[in-house]
Amino acid sequence: MADSAKYDQIELLAGRARRGDHEAFRILLEQHRGAVVSTLFACGVRCEETARDLAQEVALRAFRKLGSLKDPRTFPAWLRRIAANAARDHLRRVAVRREDEIDEALQLEGGDDPHERAERVAELRLMLAALIEEDDEVVSLLIARAEGVSVATLAASKGISPDALKMRVMRVRKRLRARLADLRRGRSV
């Protein structure tokens, strides 16, 4: 399709969507799904499942903000901007959650020596930097285990068997150790 015809179609669909045509909006989202996902990845989202969830959030934000779309022909750029903002918001939330996990882990360890505490903070920051998004759940599992929650209770809360939970944690710990070794040697992960 020629650029002019493509933008005419975008203008037509976006105009219909702004007037409440849900099917037109669905078609627009379908046509630009790849651009949304690639924008999310370009902004730092690394987990496919997270990207899918964020793409849903982008669709909802776009639907709510359709009235603010000044020129329907700019819908693709407008949608990518919403995706970039959603990715930044998500990454900020992840960073805050990881900082909270560092504080929580430090409280579990105890000890008042400031040098020991600084060393633990550095090690925990390194560990959290090595994690990828799909490991976030395992961090919460490890913290829960450190707090004394039983494997059976945690497994039941996740809807998996205790053995499956142990395997999941073991795999992530193994991956984390390898990534930490790489970080200590100064290689990027």
Side-chain angles (χ1 to χ4, degrees), residues 100-145:
D100 290 346
E101 289 163 357
I102 287 174
D103 292 342
E104 195 171 333
L106 286 172
Q107 290 172 5
L108 293 174
E109 295 234 356
D112 292 329
D113 179 7
H115 297 291
E116 184 181 316
R117 180 178 169 80
E119 191 174 307
R120 280 196 320 268
V121 168
E123 184 70 12
L124 284 166
R125 287 186 192 281
L126 187 61
M127 288 173 67
L128 291 171
L131 292 174
I132 52 179
E133 288 177 32
E134 61 260 23
D135 296 337
D136 285 347
E137 176 188 12
V138 177
V139 169
S140 64
L141 292 173
L142 293 173
I143 290 171
R145 285 293 295 134

Short mmCIF file of all heavy atoms in Angstrom, two decimals, residues 100-145:
data_model
loop_
_atom_site.label_atom_id
_atom_site.label_comp_id
_atom_site.label_asym_id
_atom_site.label_seq_id
_atom_site.Cartn_x
_atom_site.Cartn_y
_atom_site.Cartn_z
N ASP A 100 13.19 -1.74 47.20
CA ASP A 100 12.48 -2.24 48.38
C ASP A 100 12.99 -3.62 48.77
O ASP A 100 13.12 -3.93 49.95
CB ASP A 100 10.97 -2.30 48.13
CG ASP A 100 10.33 -0.93 48.02
OD1 ASP A 100 10.99 0.07 48.40
OD2 ASP A 100 9.18 -0.84 47.55
N GLU A 101 13.29 -4.45 47.77
CA GLU A 101 13.80 -5.80 48.04
C GLU A 101 15.18 -5.74 48.69
O GLU A 101 15.49 -6.54 49.57
CB GLU A 101 13.84 -6.63 46.76
CG GLU A 101 12.46 -6.99 46.27
CD GLU A 101 12.42 -7.45 44.83
OE1 GLU A 101 13.48 -7.44 44.16
OE2 GLU A 101 11.33 -7.80 44.37
N ILE A 102 15.99 -4.78 48.27
CA ILE A 102 17.31 -4.61 48.90
C ILE A 102 17.12 -4.26 50.37
O ILE A 102 17.74 -4.87 51.24
CB ILE A 102 18.13 -3.50 48.18
CG1 ILE A 102 18.60 -4.00 46.82
CG2 ILE A 102 19.31 -3.07 49.04
CD1 ILE A 102 19.27 -2.94 45.98
N ASP A 103 16.25 -3.29 50.64
CA ASP A 103 16.00 -2.91 52.03
C ASP A 103 15.48 -4.09 52.85
O ASP A 103 15.91 -4.32 53.97
CB ASP A 103 15.00 -1.75 52.12
CG ASP A 103 15.56 -0.46 51.56
OD1 ASP A 103 16.81 -0.36 51.45
OD2 ASP A 103 14.77 0.44 51.23
N GLU A 104 14.56 -4.85 52.25
CA GLU A 104 13.98 -5.99 52.95
C GLU A 104 15.05 -7.05 53.23
O GLU A 104 15.12 -7.61 54.32
CB GLU A 104 12.86 -6.58 52.09
CG GLU A 104 11.95 -7.52 52.82
CD GLU A 104 10.74 -7.89 51.97
OE1 GLU A 104 10.33 -7.08 51.10
OE2 GLU A 104 10.22 -8.98 52.19
N ALA A 105 15.89 -7.31 52.25
CA ALA A 105 16.94 -8.32 52.43
C ALA A 105 17.94 -7.87 53.49
O ALA A 105 18.42 -8.67 54.29
CB ALA A 105 17.66 -8.57 51.11
N LEU A 106 18.24 -6.58 53.53
CA LEU A 106 19.17 -6.07 54.54
C LEU A 106 18.58 -6.21 55.94
O LEU A 106 19.30 -6.51 56.89
CB LEU A 106 19.52 -4.61 54.27
CG LEU A 106 20.47 -4.39 53.10
CD1 LEU A 106 20.59 -2.92 52.79
CD2 LEU A 106 21.82 -5.00 53.39
N GLN A 107 17.29 -5.99 56.08
CA GLN A 107 16.65 -6.13 57.38
C GLN A 107 16.69 -7.58 57.85
O GLN A 107 16.77 -7.85 59.04
CB GLN A 107 15.20 -5.66 57.33
CG GLN A 107 15.10 -4.16 57.17
CD GLN A 107 13.67 -3.70 56.91
OE1 GLN A 107 12.74 -4.49 56.93
NE2 GLN A 107 13.52 -2.42 56.65
N LEU A 108 16.65 -8.52 56.93
CA LEU A 108 16.70 -9.94 57.29
C LEU A 108 18.07 -10.33 57.83
O LEU A 108 18.19 -11.22 58.65
CB LEU A 108 16.39 -10.82 56.07
CG LEU A 108 14.97 -10.74 55.55
CD1 LEU A 108 14.87 -11.54 54.27
CD2 LEU A 108 14.00 -11.26 56.58
N GLU A 109 19.11 -9.66 57.34
CA GLU A 109 20.47 -10.06 57.68
C GLU A 109 20.95 -9.55 59.03
O GLU A 109 21.73 -10.18 59.69
CB GLU A 109 21.43 -9.57 56.60
CG GLU A 109 21.16 -10.25 55.27
CD GLU A 109 22.38 -10.89 54.71
OE1 GLU A 109 23.46 -10.74 55.31
OE2 GLU A 109 22.26 -11.54 53.69
N GLY A 110 20.50 -8.38 59.44
CA GLY A 110 20.95 -7.82 60.73
C GLY A 110 22.40 -7.37 60.65
O GLY A 110 23.03 -7.36 59.60
N GLY A 111 22.95 -7.01 61.80
CA GLY A 111 24.34 -6.56 61.84
C GLY A 111 24.42 -5.06 61.75
O GLY A 111 23.75 -4.45 60.93
N ASP A 112 25.26 -4.45 62.60
CA ASP A 112 25.34 -3.00 62.64
C ASP A 112 26.63 -2.44 62.06
O ASP A 112 26.80 -1.23 61.99
CB ASP A 112 25.20 -2.52 64.10
CG ASP A 112 23.79 -2.78 64.63
OD1 ASP A 112 22.85 -2.73 63.82
OD2 ASP A 112 23.67 -3.02 65.84
N ASP A 113 27.58 -3.30 61.68
CA ASP A 113 28.85 -2.84 61.15
C ASP A 113 28.60 -2.13 59.81
O ASP A 113 28.12 -2.74 58.86
CB ASP A 113 29.79 -4.03 60.96
CG ASP A 113 31.13 -3.63 60.38
OD1 ASP A 113 31.39 -2.41 60.25
OD2 ASP A 113 31.93 -4.53 60.07
N PRO A 114 28.90 -0.82 59.70
CA PRO A 114 28.62 -0.08 58.47
C PRO A 114 29.38 -0.63 57.26
O PRO A 114 28.87 -0.59 56.14
CB PRO A 114 29.02 1.36 58.78
CG PRO A 114 29.77 1.33 60.07
CD PRO A 114 29.48 0.04 60.74
N HIS A 115 30.59 -1.14 57.46
CA HIS A 115 31.35 -1.71 56.34
C HIS A 115 30.70 -2.99 55.85
O HIS A 115 30.59 -3.22 54.64
CB HIS A 115 32.81 -1.96 56.74
CG HIS A 115 33.53 -0.70 57.12
ND1 HIS A 115 33.85 0.27 56.20
CD2 HIS A 115 33.97 -0.24 58.32
CE1 HIS A 115 34.45 1.27 56.80
NE2 HIS A 115 34.53 0.99 58.10
N GLU A 116 30.26 -3.81 56.79
CA GLU A 116 29.58 -5.06 56.42
C GLU A 116 28.27 -4.75 55.70
O GLU A 116 27.94 -5.38 54.70
CB GLU A 116 29.31 -5.87 57.69
CG GLU A 116 28.69 -7.23 57.44
CD GLU A 116 28.42 -7.96 58.74
OE1 GLU A 116 29.29 -7.95 59.63
OE2 GLU A 116 27.33 -8.53 58.85
N ARG A 117 27.56 -3.75 56.21
CA ARG A 117 26.30 -3.36 55.59
C ARG A 117 26.54 -2.83 54.17
O ARG A 117 25.82 -3.19 53.24
CB ARG A 117 25.61 -2.30 56.44
CG ARG A 117 24.28 -1.85 55.88
CD ARG A 117 23.61 -0.82 56.80
NE ARG A 117 22.48 -0.19 56.18
CZ ARG A 117 21.27 -0.72 56.08
NH1 ARG A 117 21.03 -1.90 56.59
NH2 ARG A 117 20.30 -0.06 55.49
N ALA A 118 27.56 -2.00 54.00
CA ALA A 118 27.88 -1.46 52.67
C ALA A 118 28.24 -2.59 51.71
O ALA A 118 27.85 -2.57 50.53
CB ALA A 118 29.02 -0.45 52.76
N GLU A 119 28.97 -3.57 52.20
CA GLU A 119 29.33 -4.72 51.37
C GLU A 119 28.09 -5.51 50.96
O GLU A 119 27.95 -5.92 49.81
CB GLU A 119 30.30 -5.62 52.14
CG GLU A 119 30.95 -6.69 51.29
CD GLU A 119 32.00 -7.45 52.07
OE1 GLU A 119 32.90 -6.79 52.64
OE2 GLU A 119 31.90 -8.67 52.12
N ARG A 120 27.17 -5.70 51.93
CA ARG A 120 25.92 -6.42 51.62
C ARG A 120 25.08 -5.64 50.61
O ARG A 120 24.50 -6.21 49.70
CB ARG A 120 25.11 -6.67 52.89
CG ARG A 120 25.59 -7.83 53.71
CD ARG A 120 24.57 -8.28 54.73
NE ARG A 120 23.85 -7.23 55.42
CZ ARG A 120 24.20 -6.68 56.56
NH1 ARG A 120 25.28 -7.07 57.19
NH2 ARG A 120 23.46 -5.73 57.10
N VAL A 121 25.02 -4.30 50.77
CA VAL A 121 24.27 -3.48 49.82
C VAL A 121 24.86 -3.63 48.42
O VAL A 121 24.13 -3.82 47.45
CB VAL A 121 24.26 -1.99 50.26
CG1 VAL A 121 23.74 -1.10 49.14
CG2 VAL A 121 23.43 -1.81 51.51
N ALA A 122 26.17 -3.54 48.31
CA ALA A 122 26.82 -3.67 46.99
C ALA A 122 26.54 -5.04 46.38
O ALA A 122 26.23 -5.14 45.19
CB ALA A 122 28.33 -3.45 47.13
N GLU A 123 26.63 -6.08 47.18
CA GLU A 123 26.38 -7.44 46.68
C GLU A 123 24.92 -7.60 46.25
O GLU A 123 24.63 -8.16 45.19
CB GLU A 123 26.72 -8.48 47.76
CG GLU A 123 26.58 -9.91 47.31
CD GLU A 123 27.62 -10.35 46.28
OE1 GLU A 123 28.60 -9.63 46.07
OE2 GLU A 123 27.43 -11.42 45.70
N LEU A 124 24.00 -7.08 47.05
CA LEU A 124 22.58 -7.18 46.69
C LEU A 124 22.26 -6.38 45.44
O LEU A 124 21.50 -6.82 44.58
CB LEU A 124 21.70 -6.71 47.85
CG LEU A 124 21.59 -7.71 49.00
CD1 LEU A 124 21.00 -7.05 50.23
CD2 LEU A 124 20.74 -8.89 48.58
N ARG A 125 22.86 -5.19 45.31
CA ARG A 125 22.64 -4.41 44.08
C ARG A 125 23.16 -5.17 42.86
O ARG A 125 22.53 -5.17 41.81
CB ARG A 125 23.31 -3.04 44.18
CG ARG A 125 22.60 -2.10 45.10
CD ARG A 125 23.23 -0.70 45.05
NE ARG A 125 22.74 0.13 46.10
CZ ARG A 125 21.57 0.75 46.09
NH1 ARG A 125 20.79 0.63 45.05
NH2 ARG A 125 21.19 1.50 47.10
N LEU A 126 24.31 -5.78 43.00
CA LEU A 126 24.87 -6.56 41.91
C LEU A 126 23.94 -7.73 41.57
O LEU A 126 23.66 -8.00 40.40
CB LEU A 126 26.26 -7.09 42.31
CG LEU A 126 27.07 -7.78 41.24
CD1 LEU A 126 27.36 -6.83 40.08
CD2 LEU A 126 28.37 -8.28 41.83
N MET A 127 23.43 -8.41 42.58
CA MET A 127 22.52 -9.54 42.35
C MET A 127 21.25 -9.06 41.65
O MET A 127 20.80 -9.69 40.69
CB MET A 127 22.16 -10.21 43.67
CG MET A 127 23.29 -11.00 44.29
SD MET A 127 22.86 -11.59 45.94
CE MET A 127 21.56 -12.74 45.54
N LEU A 128 20.67 -7.96 42.11
CA LEU A 128 19.44 -7.47 41.50
C LEU A 128 19.67 -6.97 40.09
O LEU A 128 18.82 -7.11 39.22
CB LEU A 128 18.80 -6.40 42.38
CG LEU A 128 18.25 -6.93 43.70
CD1 LEU A 128 17.84 -5.78 44.60
CD2 LEU A 128 17.08 -7.86 43.46
N ALA A 129 20.85 -6.39 39.83
CA ALA A 129 21.17 -5.96 38.47
C ALA A 129 21.28 -7.15 37.53
O ALA A 129 20.98 -7.05 36.35
CB ALA A 129 22.47 -5.16 38.46
N ALA A 130 21.69 -8.29 38.07
CA ALA A 130 21.87 -9.48 37.25
C ALA A 130 20.55 -10.16 36.91
O ALA A 130 20.48 -10.93 35.96
CB ALA A 130 22.78 -10.48 37.96
N LEU A 131 19.53 -9.87 37.68
CA LEU A 131 18.25 -10.52 37.44
C LEU A 131 17.56 -9.95 36.22
O LEU A 131 17.72 -8.80 35.86
CB LEU A 131 17.34 -10.34 38.66
CG LEU A 131 17.77 -11.07 39.91
CD1 LEU A 131 16.86 -10.67 41.06
CD2 LEU A 131 17.71 -12.56 39.71
N ILE A 132 16.79 -10.79 35.59
CA ILE A 132 15.95 -10.33 34.50
C ILE A 132 14.52 -10.37 35.01
O ILE A 132 14.24 -10.96 36.04
CB ILE A 132 16.14 -11.18 33.22
CG1 ILE A 132 15.97 -12.67 33.53
CG2 ILE A 132 17.48 -10.93 32.60
CD1 ILE A 132 16.12 -13.57 32.34
N GLU A 133 13.62 -9.73 34.30
CA GLU A 133 12.26 -9.53 34.81
C GLU A 133 11.57 -10.81 35.23
O GLU A 133 10.87 -10.83 36.22
CB GLU A 133 11.42 -8.81 33.78
CG GLU A 133 11.80 -7.37 33.66
CD GLU A 133 11.00 -6.67 32.59
OE1 GLU A 133 9.84 -7.03 32.39
OE2 GLU A 133 11.57 -5.77 31.97
N GLU A 134 11.74 -11.90 34.49
CA GLU A 134 11.01 -13.11 34.88
C GLU A 134 11.53 -13.69 36.19
O GLU A 134 10.91 -14.56 36.77
CB GLU A 134 10.99 -14.16 33.77
CG GLU A 134 12.34 -14.67 33.36
CD GLU A 134 12.85 -14.02 32.09
OE1 GLU A 134 12.42 -12.91 31.76
OE2 GLU A 134 13.69 -14.62 31.43
N ASP A 135 12.67 -13.19 36.68
CA ASP A 135 13.19 -13.65 37.96
C ASP A 135 12.60 -12.90 39.15
O ASP A 135 12.82 -13.26 40.29
CB ASP A 135 14.72 -13.49 38.00
CG ASP A 135 15.41 -14.37 36.97
OD1 ASP A 135 14.81 -15.38 36.55
OD2 ASP A 135 16.53 -14.04 36.58
N ASP A 136 11.84 -11.83 38.89
CA ASP A 136 11.27 -11.04 39.98
C ASP A 136 10.45 -11.89 40.93
O ASP A 136 10.51 -11.73 42.14
CB ASP A 136 10.39 -9.90 39.44
CG ASP A 136 11.20 -8.77 38.86
OD1 ASP A 136 12.43 -8.72 39.10
OD2 ASP A 136 10.62 -7.93 38.17
N GLU A 137 9.66 -12.81 40.37
CA GLU A 137 8.85 -13.69 41.21
C GLU A 137 9.73 -14.52 42.12
O GLU A 137 9.41 -14.72 43.29
CB GLU A 137 8.00 -14.61 40.32
CG GLU A 137 7.19 -15.61 41.11
CD GLU A 137 6.50 -16.63 40.22
OE1 GLU A 137 6.82 -16.72 39.02
OE2 GLU A 137 5.65 -17.35 40.75
N VAL A 138 10.86 -14.98 41.60
CA VAL A 138 11.74 -15.82 42.40
C VAL A 138 12.39 -15.02 43.52
O VAL A 138 12.59 -15.54 44.62
CB VAL A 138 12.79 -16.52 41.51
CG1 VAL A 138 13.75 -17.34 42.33
CG2 VAL A 138 12.07 -17.43 40.51
N VAL A 139 12.68 -13.75 43.28
CA VAL A 139 13.22 -12.90 44.35
C VAL A 139 12.23 -12.87 45.51
O VAL A 139 12.60 -13.05 46.66
CB VAL A 139 13.51 -11.47 43.85
CG1 VAL A 139 13.81 -10.54 45.01
CG2 VAL A 139 14.66 -11.48 42.87
N SER A 140 10.95 -12.68 45.19
CA SER A 140 9.95 -12.65 46.25
C SER A 140 9.86 -14.01 46.95
O SER A 140 9.66 -14.08 48.16
CB SER A 140 8.59 -12.21 45.73
OG SER A 140 8.08 -13.14 44.80
N LEU A 141 10.03 -15.09 46.19
CA LEU A 141 10.04 -16.43 46.80
C LEU A 141 11.22 -16.60 47.74
O LEU A 141 11.09 -17.14 48.85
CB LEU A 141 10.08 -17.52 45.72
CG LEU A 141 8.85 -17.67 44.84
CD1 LEU A 141 9.12 -18.67 43.72
CD2 LEU A 141 7.65 -18.09 45.65
N LEU A 142 12.39 -16.15 47.31
CA LEU A 142 13.59 -16.28 48.14
C LEU A 142 13.44 -15.47 49.43
O LEU A 142 13.83 -15.93 50.51
CB LEU A 142 14.84 -15.84 47.37
CG LEU A 142 15.24 -16.72 46.19
CD1 LEU A 142 16.38 -16.06 45.42
CD2 LEU A 142 15.63 -18.10 46.64
N ILE A 143 12.88 -14.27 49.32
CA ILE A 143 12.67 -13.45 50.50
C ILE A 143 11.68 -14.14 51.44
O ILE A 143 11.90 -14.20 52.65
CB ILE A 143 12.20 -12.03 50.11
CG1 ILE A 143 13.37 -11.28 49.45
CG2 ILE A 143 11.68 -11.27 51.32
CD1 ILE A 143 12.99 -9.96 48.83
N ALA A 144 10.61 -14.69 50.88
CA ALA A 144 9.62 -15.39 51.70
C ALA A 144 10.25 -16.58 52.41
O ALA A 144 10.00 -16.82 53.60
CB ALA A 144 8.44 -15.83 50.84
N ARG A 145 11.10 -17.31 51.69
CA ARG A 145 11.79 -18.46 52.32
C ARG A 145 12.69 -17.97 53.45
O ARG A 145 12.75 -18.58 54.51
CB ARG A 145 12.62 -19.23 51.29
CG ARG A 145 11.83 -20.10 50.35
CD ARG A 145 11.16 -21.28 51.03
NE ARG A 145 12.17 -22.19 51.55
CZ ARG A 145 12.14 -22.73 52.77
NH1 ARG A 145 11.16 -22.47 53.58
NH2 ARG A 145 13.09 -23.53 53.16
#
